């Protein structure tokens, strides 16, 4: 496995990972979503590549002195193998390098695997917010 910065040619692979994540409801244009991320100069995206294919990705947006959560998704085939942890560690390292003093993550309250990972890496719950039927949790880590 190799972790590297995403390139334009990764767009379809990232879109497939996101589409298969089960995180989104309703109709989404994943290619447009990923294309918009890749165009944003403040968006930092890393991919986990296995045998030439995108197995997962992590994005965050640099906003002045903090890194705001973007996305973290791993294909079902590779979930539970530490790829999400490696992607998150890489993004934390990059955010520090860019001068960020904290990273903020937003996660659904029923995404227990992600919450567990964030806790293990030192993120702390700072806020909860109900959006319709979904309870979103905000977690932060000082860098």
């Amino acid at each position: 496995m190799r972790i590297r910065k995403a390139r334009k040619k990764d767009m379809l692979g990232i879109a497939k990972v996101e589409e298969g994540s089960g995180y989104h409801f309703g109709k989404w244009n994943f290619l447009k979503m990923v294309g918009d991320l890749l165009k944003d100069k403040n968006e930092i995206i890393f991919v986990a590549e296995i045998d030439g294919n995108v197995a997962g990705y992590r994005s965050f947006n640099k906003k002045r002195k903090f890194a705001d959560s973007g996305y973290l998704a791993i294909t079902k085939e590779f979930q539970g193998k530490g790829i999400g942890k490696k992607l998150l560690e890489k993004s934390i390292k990059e955010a520090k390098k860019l001068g960020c003093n904290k990273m903020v993550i937003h996660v659904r309250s029923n995404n227990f695997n992600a919450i567990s990972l964030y806790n293990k890496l030192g993120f702390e719950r700072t806020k909860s917010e109900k959006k319709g039927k979904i309870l979103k949790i905000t977690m932060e880590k000082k860098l």
Side-chain angles (χ1 to χ4, degrees):
M1 179 188 62
R2 184 171 84 133
I3 306 274
R4 60 169 174 78
K5 280 201 173 179
R7 300 183 288 248
K8 191 173 183 175
K9 73 174 192 146
D10 296 316
M11 195 161 90
L12 183 59
I14 294 170
K16 284 181 179 178
V17 169
E18 192 61 53
E19 186 174 19
S21 71
Y23 191 75
H24 302 283
F25 300 106
K27 289 189 175 189
W28 281 76
N29 184 336
F30 295 103
L31 277 175
K32 181 182 179 335
M33 182 187 102
V34 174
D36 290 345
L37 287 175
L38 287 166
K39 287 179 194 170
D40 186 339
K41 293 182 191 310
N42 291 320
E43 197 74 28
I44 314 299
I45 307 170
F46 291 102
V47 295
E49 183 181 60
I50 298 176
D51 297 329
N53 297 308
V54 176
Y57 81 105
R58 164 79 176 128
S59 71
F60 70 90
N61 195 288
K62 183 183 182 306
K63 297 186 178 200
R64 295 189 184 167
K65 289 289 183 183
F66 75 95
D68 195 23
S69 174
Y71 300 93
L72 174 63
I74 311 299
T75 58
K76 292 195 186 297
E77 176 185 359
F78 292 108
Q79 289 176 3
K81 299 187 185 315
I83 294 171
K85 181 180 179 187
K86 287 183 184 351
L87 283 164
L88 193 54
E89 288 171 337
K90 180 73 171 174
S91 67
I92 289 168
K93 186 177 178 181
E94 183 72 10
K96 284 180 185 178
K97 196 165 94 177
L98 293 171
C100 296
N101 57 24
K102 74 175 174 178
M103 183 171 277
V104 179
I105 289 182
H106 311 282
V107 62
R108 290 183 182 169
S109 63
N110 64 349
N111 193 342
F112 304 115
N113 291 338
I115 293 168
S116 175
L117 172 62
Y118 301 146
N119 282 326
K120 285 177 190 171
L121 292 176
F123 285 83
E124 295 179 356
R125 185 177 179 156
T126 57
K127 170 173 117 172
S128 297
E129 180 182 6
K130 191 156 183 155
K131 290 190 174 189
K133 296 179 181 180
I134 299 169
L135 180 63
K136 287 252 187 182
I137 297 171
T138 300
M139 301 179 79
E140 295 182 7
K141 175 182 176 69
K142 290 183 181 173
L143 303 179

